[in-house]
Amino acid sequence: MTEQWHEPRARFGFAEVTGPSMVPTLVHGDQLLVDYRATFRTGDVAVLRHSLQQDLLIVKRLAERRGEGWWVLGDNPGADGDSRVFGVVPPELLLGRVRSRFRPLGEDQRSVLGVVSWLASAVRPVLADRSVSRRLRAR
């Protein structure tokens, strides 16, 4: 996810997902509702600044607290670009918690059945995954 970051004036804002790192939870093109005043807990999906390239915004799951920061992981274990590459993320780089996602209608969903299927799943809350910390320790 790339975009220019400006301090939010409102509590909520929108962001767009680019890339495969959060599949299956989020896919390329998903629109996210981001809460910029939320508190963070293990398992939450967050928008944050990349540790090594702070003009780049990314979306990752907060796997666990480590010392003074967060260990963040993508939900797609085959994709890179998370704490396995850049280490612990300081809390000041966390910008907001993802509350829900909107998945735009795809080109292959133009039939009546496709539109009905899309309507059933287009808007979903993005929930914390409480098992992420246990999975991390099991690796």
Side-chain angles (χ1 to χ4, degrees):
M1 181 174 83
T2 61
E3 64 181 57
Q4 191 70 352
W5 172 254
H6 301 282
E7 191 65 35
R9 290 186 175 94
R11 176 174 184 152
F12 294 99
F14 295 96
E16 181 176 297
V17 175
T18 60
S21 73
M22 288 299 292
V23 170
T25 307
L26 304 172
V27 299
H28 183 82
D30 280 354
Q31 303 294 312
L32 307 177
L33 176 65
V34 181
D35 183 346
Y36 293 110
R37 297 185 193 157
T39 56
F40 298 101
R41 302 175 303 181
T42 300
D44 288 342
V45 175
V47 173
L48 55 136
R49 290 183 189 275
H50 192 286
S51 290
L52 304 176
Q53 188 179 348
Q54 293 184 11
D55 61 335
L56 176 65
L57 302 183
I58 58 176
V59 178
K60 300 295 176 201
R61 190 170 300 277
L62 305 178
E64 68 179 14
R65 292 298 300 252
R66 288 198 180 176
E68 295 297 315
W70 286 95
W71 189 260
V72 300
L73 296 172
D75 285 358
N76 179 353
D80 59 4
D82 56 25
S83 286
R84 296 172 293 175
V85 173
F86 52 75
V88 174
V89 175
E92 61 268 16
L93 296 183
L94 273 60
L95 304 176
R97 181 175 165 196
V98 176
R99 295 294 187 173
S100 64
R101 64 106 175 124
F102 169 75
R103 188 158 291 157
L105 186 64
E107 288 296 323
D108 60 339
Q109 296 175 307
R110 301 294 183 197
S111 69
V112 172
L113 183 58
V115 171
V116 170
S117 172
W118 169 80
L119 283 172
S121 67
V123 177
R124 292 265 169 104
V126 176
L127 303 174
D129 182 353
R130 297 291 172 225
S131 68
V132 72
S133 183
R134 286 191 298 270
R135 287 195 317 263
L136 180 66
R137 288 189 196 99
R139 289 185 187 172

